[in-house]
Amino acid sequence: MVSYDLPQSTPEKGKAAEIFKEYRMGKMALAGVKVGVLYFECSSGKFGGSAGTAVLIRGEVRSRYEASESAGAARKDNLYILHDSSRTLASLLDCTSDSGLSSTFSMPSEA
C-alpha cells in the first residue's frame, strides 16, 4: 500500500531508524525491507498558494509480508514503487519540473 501526507519537514540527516538506508532521490529517500519513504517537493497552484510555493510531500510504501528476495532487492523494489507513484502524483498535481524526480527509475546511490 502507498500513502501520502504533507509533513512539516524531513527527518534529520543520519537520524533515521536503523532499519532504513538513506538514498539520494527527491528531497530524501529511506528504504527498508518492508517499508520505503520518499520526500519530495511540489510547487503547484493546486495547494491554494502561488505556483512558486513548494510543499513537502511524504510518500510511504509498506508490505505486510516478509520479502522473498534479498534485502537489497526489496529496498530497490520499494524505491521503484515510490518513484513511479510519486511521479504520477506530481503529474496529477501539476508540480513544476516533476518535483525533481527523474523521468525513469534507476537505483539511486546511498546518501
Side-chain angles (χ1 to χ4, degrees), residues 3-87:
S3 61
Y4 288 91
D5 60 40
L6 303 174
Q8 295 296 315
S9 62
T10 61
E12 282 186 55
K13 185 144 179 73
K15 297 287 186 182
E18 290 182 16
I19 63 165
F20 291 112
K21 287 193 177 186
E22 194 172 328
Y23 294 90
R24 288 178 165 80
M25 186 166 77
K27 188 117 175 118
M28 172 187 270
L30 304 167
V33 175
K34 293 175 62 174
V35 64
V37 180
L38 173 64
Y39 294 86
F40 67 97
E41 290 184 332
C42 175
S43 295
S44 172
K46 291 190 176 187
F47 289 109
S50 67
T53 304
V55 172
L56 184 63
I57 298 176
R58 178 188 183 273
E60 180 177 311
V61 61
R62 285 191 172 269
S63 174
R64 297 185 303 189
Y65 305 105
E66 293 301 322
S68 59
E69 58 194 352
S70 71
R75 285 186 191 96
K76 182 177 180 179
D77 287 348
N78 287 333
L79 291 175
Y80 174 80
I81 291 166
L82 283 169
H83 176 272
D84 194 49
S85 60
S86 297
R87 290 254 322 148

